[in-house]
Amino acid sequence: MLTTCNADWGVAVLMEVSTGNIKAISNLEKSPSSDEYIEGMNRAVLGYEPGSVVKTLSMMIAVEDGIVKDVDEVITTGHGFAYAGGRPITDSHGVASMPVREVIERSSNIGMAKIITSRYGDNPGAFYTRLKKLGFLDPMNTGIAGERPPRIDSVASNRGGRIALSRMCYGYSTEIPPLYTLSIYNAIANDGKYVRPRLVERLLGEGIDSVLPVSYVRDTMACSPRTAEIMRMMLTNVVWGDHGTGKLLRNDKVRIAGKTGTCYIIENGAYNTGKKRLAFCGFFPAEKPLYSCIVLTCYPKQNMFGAASTSGTVLKNIALKMFSRGMLNNSSDYREGEHAPTKPTFFASGGQRRIKNVRDNLGMGSVKYFEPGNHKSGVPSVLGYNLRDAINVLESAGLEVDFNGTGYVVAQSLSPGSTLRPGSRVRLTLNQ
């Protein structure tokens, strides 16, 4: 994806929902000496302004604390919100009004700012206190070098503090490492249980065999199961709702839930509106989450510029590849009626009676049986061998090997037991 959109760098983190086990981290950046991408700095634990992916955290607090009592309540958004005399907050997907349930789906800056300032506007510092109580500002102690906690300021109860609060709640004026953002989405996927991300689940060594228990941030729960359920609905609608910013991620294999995020990059103390960091954070399968994932793409310059078409697409491809390998509690993507039922051919060598018993008990189809060669000298027989074992036997005997087909050896050009001339070439024919 980085190559396709010519981005500066990217990071992706995949985590297991129930345990917090970090299953994979990838960091790629442009090589200083070429246009190739190389493994780079671990940006998963470094702070960046997160953009709209942080709205999920703000909305979770609003639902949990009763600021939002009815997700169907309509909120007036208009075409701008000039809070505390600051520069008007706007929406890129602006409408005059929307129910609260659509604030995340539509990624409404105005809606999120109105909700949070309705509770914390008179005391902006209390929002910082709420995040601290949650444990979101604590060190995660994942064991990853260079890990930094989020930087979210406790602002004063004045005009400047109120303006800062109205920006913080939708992703600006903060620095949050991707792994911390992911931890909140993971908690929502995990019915509110706030597991601590970790790299190590077991210690093995001489005299040591210790499984480390799953640990939690602060008071175990980031939110109630009911709040988590509401948040999962909102995040699912980002992809599957009529107004979702992540509709590009729909597919017929894995139902994805999550949130897009776009943030301008600060250069020389000001936002450069020509440079963006694009994020997608979510989990899958949406109906019963097993994995959570966050992806950041920094400064794409061509072809694709949206969060869904870059970072979101990476997450979707991860989910689809895991599905194709049966890693999402799915046995297969086989659909009844697509193919006529068939019984596989069984390639075997060994005692024929034993092979017949195996075939009958497993309901196998036809058997192609190969009598193993019992040659004390000459060319070895590899009929019925898989390719790797066949090559090992023949090359150990000093022969060069060519082959065609796949599966198991059904014919060999040099007859078993014939005169062995080291350096001779033998051609194998393989069949499924």
Side-chain angles (χ1 to χ4, degrees):
M1 179 58 72
L2 298 182
T3 300
T4 299
C5 65
N6 190 23
D8 284 355
W9 56 262
V11 56
V13 185
L14 181 72
M15 192 157 74
E16 189 173 52
V17 166
S18 60
T19 63
N21 289 342
I22 299 168
K23 308 302 286 188
I25 299 180
S26 182
N27 290 275
L28 296 175
E29 61 185 40
K30 278 274 185 75
S31 169
S33 58
S34 70
D35 286 334
E36 297 295 316
Y37 288 94
I38 59 174
E39 188 71 16
M41 183 186 303
N42 197 340
R43 292 182 166 88
V45 292
L46 302 181
Y48 302 96
E49 279 192 325
S52 291
V53 288
V54 87
K55 287 174 184 166
T56 300
L57 170 61
S58 299
M59 182 64 82
M60 184 190 78
I61 290 172
V63 173
E64 181 73 3
D65 293 356
I67 303 171
V68 168
K69 295 182 174 65
D70 180 4
V71 296
D72 292 315
E73 179 183 350
V74 175
I75 186 168
T76 302
T77 50
H79 300 288
F81 178 42
Y83 181 70
R87 179 176 53 81
I89 298 169
T90 59
D91 286 341
S92 56
H93 313 281
V95 292
S97 63
M98 68 186 72
V100 171
R101 66 167 57 242
E102 291 182 6
V103 168
I104 298 295
E105 180 181 342
R106 293 178 181 269
S107 197
S108 173
N109 298 335
I110 297 172
M112 199 70 259
K114 282 195 167 186
I115 290 168
I116 292 299
T117 57
S118 71
R119 167 67 62 88
Y120 296 105
D122 293 336
N123 182 13
F127 186 66
Y128 169 87
T129 302
R130 181 64 177 87
L131 294 174
K132 192 172 180 65
K133 180 181 177 182
L134 178 64
F136 186 66
L137 306 181
D138 295 353
M140 288 290 181
N141 297 320
T142 58
I144 300 174
E147 177 192 307
R148 301 175 189 173
R151 184 194 65 77
I152 299 177
D153 296 332
S154 178
V155 295
S157 296
N158 54 26
R159 176 176 174 272
R162 295 173 71 198
I163 292 172
L165 171 68
S166 69
R167 270 65 175 172
M168 283 180 186
C169 67
Y170 64 83
Y172 283 84
S173 302
T174 62
E175 290 183 359
I176 302 175
L179 189 60
Y180 280 73
T181 300
L182 179 60
S183 73
I184 292 295
Y185 283 73
N186 196 82
I188 289 168
N190 199 23
D191 271 338
K193 294 186 284 291
Y194 198 1
V195 296
R196 187 183 303 278
R198 64 180 188 176
L199 280 177
V200 179
E201 63 175 319
R202 187 173 187 178
L203 300 176
L204 291 172
E206 187 174 345
I208 299 172
D209 185 355
S210 178
V211 177
L212 304 180
V214 173
S215 63
Y216 297 87
V217 177
R218 288 289 181 99
D219 298 325
T220 304
M221 303 296 287
C223 64
S224 69
R226 174 59 180 159
T227 295
E229 181 182 11
I230 292 171
M231 294 306 304
R232 287 197 298 271
M233 174 271 293
M234 291 184 179
L235 292 169
T236 299
N237 286 343
V238 169
V239 178
W240 300 94
D242 292 339
H243 313 291
T245 58
K247 289 189 285 187
L248 181 68
L249 308 183
R250 294 177 181 179
N251 67 89
D252 63 353
K253 299 292 189 299
V254 184
R255 196 168 172 85
I256 292 168
K259 180 74 187 75
T260 53
T262 302
C263 192
Y264 295 123
I265 296 174
I266 296 177
E267 289 185 338
N268 302 318
Y271 288 108
N272 183 339
T273 57
K275 293 186 177 182
K276 299 176 182 178
R277 269 189 310 273
L278 304 173
F280 191 89
C281 190
F283 44 83
F284 54 87
E287 60 276 12
K288 193 173 182 180
L290 296 173
Y291 295 94
S292 59
C293 184
I294 188 168
V295 183
L296 259 68
T297 306
C298 183
Y299 188 25
K301 304 170 189 64
Q302 63 194 44
N303 297 323
M304 292 181 242
F305 299 96
S309 63
T310 53
S311 295
T313 299
V314 173
L315 184 146
K316 180 180 77 170
N317 289 341
I318 291 170
L320 290 175
K321 288 179 180 180
M322 294 180 75
F323 177 90
S324 74
R325 289 160 173 78
M327 298 172 70
L328 301 182
N329 284 347
N330 60 300
S331 58
S332 171
D333 62 353
Y334 172 82
R335 289 171 173 75
E336 188 69 30
E338 280 189 354
H339 306 286
T342 59
K343 291 185 176 181
T345 298
F346 188 24
F347 289 83
S349 60
Q352 293 193 43
R353 180 177 297 176
R354 179 173 62 85
I355 296 304
K356 183 178 184 301
N357 288 338
V358 172
R359 181 199 66 186
D360 293 345
N361 287 328
L362 295 180
M364 291 282 189
S366 62
V367 173
K368 290 191 176 180
Y369 179 79
F370 301 96
E371 186 68 43
N374 185 20
H375 306 289
K376 295 181 180 179
S377 62
V379 174
S381 173
V382 291
L383 296 177
Y385 283 46
N386 63 46
L387 180 61
R388 181 177 63 181
D389 291 343
I391 290 176
N392 182 53
V393 169
L394 295 172
E395 288 188 345
S396 296
L399 297 170
E400 300 290 333
V401 181
D402 287 337
F403 68 93
N404 69 290
T406 59
Y408 296 86
V409 179
V410 296
Q412 60 184 80
S413 61
L414 297 180
S415 299
S418 61
T419 302
L420 175 63
R421 295 183 176 85
S424 298
R425 186 168 296 276
V426 57
R427 186 165 188 81
L428 306 179
T429 302
L430 290 82
N431 200 328
Q432 295 284 7

